[in-house]
Amino acid sequence: MYYLSIEGKQKLKGSVSISGAKNSALPILAATLLSQNPVSISNLPNVADVKTLLKLLENLGASYETTQEGIKIDSSTVNSACANYDIVRKMRASILTLGPLLARFGHCEVSLPGGCAIGQRPIDLHLKALEAMGAKIQIEQGYVIAKAPEGLKGATIIFDKVTVTGSENILMAAALAHGVTKLVNVAKEPEVVQLCEILKNAGVKIDGIGTSEITIVGSYGKLLPLQDIKVIPDRIEAGTYLCAGAITNSKITITDVIPKHLEAVALKLQQMGFGIEITDDSITILPATKILPSDIETTEYPGFPTDMQAQFMALCTQADGTSLIDERLFENRFMHVSELSRMGASVKLKGHSATVEGHRELTAADVMATDLRASSALILAALVAKGTTKIHRIYHLDRGYENLEGKFSALGAKIERLEE
Ligand code: UD1
């Protein structure tokens, strides 16, 4: 097992290029199940979750080759509609195959992903929507067994809650359904928007892209001519590097980003006293004379993302005063608190709120990564801690951050990946 060793108190400088978005790459790969032809995908991030989904698609009968720009994947050859537990348990987002498999084959079996460190994470809204489209669904021995022998039918679906992968699953199902589907209370995340654009580019008639109401005309089961795709930049990776600049109070630039996707994050950093310079495809963070505390409430896009909550908590330990963080999306997304506390942070938890007292001198410790974003908070804390921090269980980080040590080292961090 590998761990990261980080020597703190180094200033950072320079620029870092942001990779493709994991959370866009995953629905894109799932969407290739709807394609009648091979699809070239560029800017695909080299992270464990992408490899897991590629493996699942291969298991179902797809094949792919790596190209200079990324991959070319042929999912037209898929001949199985069973996503088994061995792979699904590694990554919850495997559930993204449910909608496309059911729409294409009229039946499928997808293992239930189960809970995870940040909470129960049910998929009831995915299932309810598919049922509204005529699917018969049973849960047997840990599998979702879904049938729609006559094909899925267009329907009006009002999501009780905004769900990102739920919206994506149903968009993909609707693209192949019989008739018109109207989706209300759809997620507006840039990753959902990219998926809609991909369907539109394949000739699907789809209205309301980027809004919470989308109408989509299905193809009556006909596979789609998916065009080549370039994955959008990872706004969460980008935000994490901005926080690295912030917590070390250094000037760094992130490049190859879409600044609009980072509006909420950039605004919070500005409110905390940092300078922000924006170009068409880059953001530079400039040091603050004094780091101010912040009140943060996580919510759906375009609000402040839950996937940036842990990183901002690390940053708030260095602010001058008390910050309040309200986690609105997931019930148990404070796993990083106990590890940050071991490094000297003062955080009080009450229900879904955290009060962070700053400024606190952090000191190095052995800490454990618990989930993907929680682990990046530990890296940030380690960058300002006195001494050398060891972060264990970094497979969580490898799920979503490409070339992590390479990118941090290039910015001047003293970071190494070592074997236990
Ligand atoms: C996606 C992202 C994840 C991000 C999250 C919220 C991917 C691969 N993952 O996860 O990084 O943290 O959005 O922005 O894109 N819910 C239900 N029933 C459902 C589905 C969701 O109650 O059927 C609840 C969840 O428990 C949660 C909320 O809805 O409280 C939002 O979850 P959702 O948007 O579905 O998260 P994911 O799509 O799993």
Side-chain angles (χ1 to χ4, degrees):
M1 285 243 273
Y2 288 93
Y3 66 94
L4 285 177
S5 165
I6 300 174
E7 191 185 322
K9 299 266 178 219
Q10 312 294 320
K11 280 273 177 204
L12 303 185
K13 67 170 192 290
S15 68
V16 57
S17 164
I18 299 306
S19 302
K22 166 183 89 71
N23 284 358
S24 214
L26 298 175
I28 287 171
L29 287 172
T32 65
L33 287 166
L34 308 174
S35 182
Q36 56 181 229
N37 48 274
V39 187
S40 291
I41 307 174
S42 60
N43 207 29
L44 198 65
N46 185 12
V47 295
D49 274 9
V50 165
K51 288 181 195 147
T52 303
L53 192 47
L54 281 170
K55 180 113 193 98
L56 173 54
L57 293 173
E58 261 186 327
N59 272 6
L60 297 174
S63 61
Y64 68 92
E65 55 183 88
T66 47
T67 60
Q68 229 169 3
E69 298 79 34
I71 65 162
K72 187 167 190 177
I73 179 161
D74 187 359
S75 299
S76 67
T77 50
V78 164
N79 51 13
S80 159
C82 178
N84 68 37
Y85 176 69
D86 276 352
I87 294 195
V88 176
R89 76 187 162 85
K90 290 194 183 130
M91 186 184 63
R92 289 187 43 80
S94 308
I95 197 67
L96 282 166
T97 56
L98 177 65
L101 283 176
L102 180 59
R104 173 165 165 183
F105 292 104
H107 64 90
C108 72
E109 294 178 20
V110 177
S111 172
L112 276 170
C116 74
I118 66 171
Q120 266 196 357
R121 301 184 79 174
I123 54 158
D124 56 313
L125 302 175
H126 304 228
L127 302 185
K128 235 167 97 178
L130 290 171
E131 280 173 340
M133 297 174 80
K136 297 271 173 282
I137 294 181
Q138 286 173 307
I139 309 289
E140 273 174 28
Q141 297 179 346
Y143 277 77
V144 178
I145 301 183
K147 291 187 183 130
E150 311 290 307
L152 291 170
K153 293 184 183 55
T156 295
I157 291 154
I158 304 176
F159 288 103
D160 291 338
K161 267 190 192 175
V162 176
T163 159
V164 175
T165 48
S167 299
E168 290 164 347
N169 234 337
I170 305 311
L171 281 163
M172 290 186 279
L176 247 57
H178 298 235
V180 180
T181 300
K182 184 175 170 194
L183 301 175
V184 181
N185 205 20
V186 184
K188 293 185 289 223
E189 268 66 6
E191 296 76 20
V192 178
V193 172
Q194 173 156 53
L195 178 64
C196 289
E197 298 288 353
I198 287 164
L199 297 174
K200 190 176 170 189
N201 289 339
V204 176
K205 190 165 171 344
I206 175 164
D207 287 325
I209 296 179
T211 74
S212 57
E213 265 191 50
I214 294 183
T215 309
I216 178 164
V217 182
S219 70
Y220 288 82
K222 194 170 170 297
L223 291 180
L224 307 170
L226 250 59
Q227 307 296 299
D228 293 353
I229 298 163
K230 181 175 179 195
V231 180
I232 57 169
D234 196 314
R235 62 197 167 96
I236 306 302
E237 188 200 19
T240 304
Y241 283 102
L242 284 179
C243 281
I247 202 165
T248 57
N249 218 5
S250 309
K251 176 184 174 183
I252 67 164
T253 300
I254 55 167
T255 63
D256 306 304
V257 293
I258 299 175
K260 174 117 192 64
H261 295 171
L262 283 143
E263 241 169 17
V265 166
L267 192 65
K268 273 287 168 239
L269 290 170
Q270 269 173 331
Q271 288 165 353
M272 293 180 81
F274 299 97
I276 293 285
E277 286 174 2
I278 297 178
T279 71
D280 282 353
D281 63 356
S282 76
I283 304 180
T284 299
I285 178 158
L286 303 162
T289 35
K290 180 174 167 184
I291 305 181
L292 303 171
S294 186
D295 284 353
I296 293 167
E297 191 172 309
T298 67
T299 179
E300 294 91 10
Y301 187 87
F304 186 90
T306 173
D307 286 353
M308 285 303 302
Q309 180 258 107
Q311 298 88 318
F312 267 75
M313 183 181 288
L315 176 56
C316 287
T317 67
Q318 301 305 294
D320 241 330
T322 306
S323 299
L324 282 176
I325 299 179
D326 213 353
E327 172 54 60
R328 289 275 158 187
L329 288 188
F330 293 110
E331 72 265 28
N332 191 21
R333 207 168 203 184
F334 284 131
M335 309 284 287
H336 42 287
V337 170
S338 54
E339 300 303 285
L340 287 175
S341 301
R342 299 184 59 243
M343 298 177 73
S346 166
V347 184
K348 285 198 193 77
L349 286 181
K350 193 170 177 205
H352 47 67
S353 301
T355 308
V356 187
E357 297 291 344
H359 164 268
R360 283 287 185 283
E361 258 325 308
L362 300 183
T363 47
D366 275 66
V367 287
M368 217 151 60
T370 46
D371 76 57
L372 172 55
R373 305 305 169 185
S375 337
S376 53
L378 301 180
I379 295 186
L380 298 179
L383 290 174
V384 282
K386 190 161 173 261
T388 302
T389 299
K390 289 182 185 165
I391 305 177
H392 303 272
R393 297 203 183 166
I394 54 170
Y395 49 84
H396 288 293
L397 282 161
D398 293 332
R399 284 188 40 219
Y401 288 93
E402 177 173 286
N403 186 22
L404 188 90
E405 318 81 276
K407 290 190 185 189
F408 271 108
S409 298
L411 290 171
K414 291 209 165 158
I415 180 168
E416 276 183 298
R417 178 180 292 245
L418 300 168
E419 208 160 354
E420 307 264 10

